[in-house]
Amino acid sequence: MRVYLPATTTVLQRLLAEGRLEGPQTVFTVTPQLRDFYELSDDGEELEYAALLAAARASLRLIDVDPGAARRRVVLAADVPDASVTPIEDEGADAGAARTTADVGLVDVASAHLDVAEAEEDVRAAVAVVLEADLGSEDAQFVVDQAEGHELAWYANQEIGPVLDLL
């Protein structure tokens, strides 16, 4: 099953150094709740993109507690065993939120998605207010929306090391 794992540049460095991220992990994927939320049952690509965007928002929350991470959202697209994934069925959770018990190895990562340099200022501002946005602040949500307006760049897993070297 394809999952989208929110991360930071610190997490990417650990993945490269250790070759895997130990489970369990919170991920985002196409869950029944996500299908219901978007009222789509057939458009897999659109639902996958929605899961990726939810993971990118979760990356903002991770950056908030990782002062050493670059101010760029990071999402890993990885393939894990279907049986290892359980949707999070909580009213407060994002519709595509799930848990995987599987370790995520570098070989399981299909691609990495990162913000480009032009997004850093907006991401920095969004990190400072993402929790307020989660709690319903419209002003904070506007700031988060600015960061989320930046498209994430796509990198193959063999490009992760060189991308980190450029940061």
Side-chain angles (χ1 to χ4, degrees), residues 126-148:
V127 165
V129 299
V130 68
L131 297 179
E132 292 173 45
D134 288 344
L135 294 171
S137 167
E138 291 181 17
D139 291 338
Q141 184 59 52
F142 178 79
V143 174
V144 170
D145 288 346
Q146 293 295 106
E148 291 178 341

Side-chain angles (χ1 to χ4, degrees), residues 32-109:
Q33 295 89 337
L34 188 71
R35 287 182 188 283
D36 290 346
F37 183 80
Y38 285 102
E39 299 177 355
L40 294 170
S41 59
D42 296 332
D43 194 344
E45 279 186 35
E46 200 168 312
L47 290 169
E48 295 266 343
Y49 187 67
L52 178 124
L53 292 179
R57 162 115 11 145
S59 176
L60 289 173
R61 297 178 194 113
L62 294 175
I63 295 167
D64 184 40
V65 296
D66 185 353
R71 288 350 206 190
R72 297 188 190 197
R73 295 170 298 158
V74 177
V75 176
L76 298 173
D79 296 313
V80 298
D82 291 2
S84 76
V85 178
T86 305
I88 297 173
E89 296 181 16
D90 182 315
E91 286 183 28
D94 287 318
R99 295 286 287 167
T100 182
T101 56
D103 291 349
V104 176
L106 185 56
V107 297
D108 302 318
V109 174

Side-chain angles (χ1 to χ4, degrees), residues 13-29:
Q13 291 165 342
R14 189 171 77 240
L15 174 63
L16 288 176
E18 298 174 10
R20 68 187 172 103
L21 300 171
E22 288 187 26
Q25 296 279 342
T26 298
V27 295
F28 294 83
T29 191

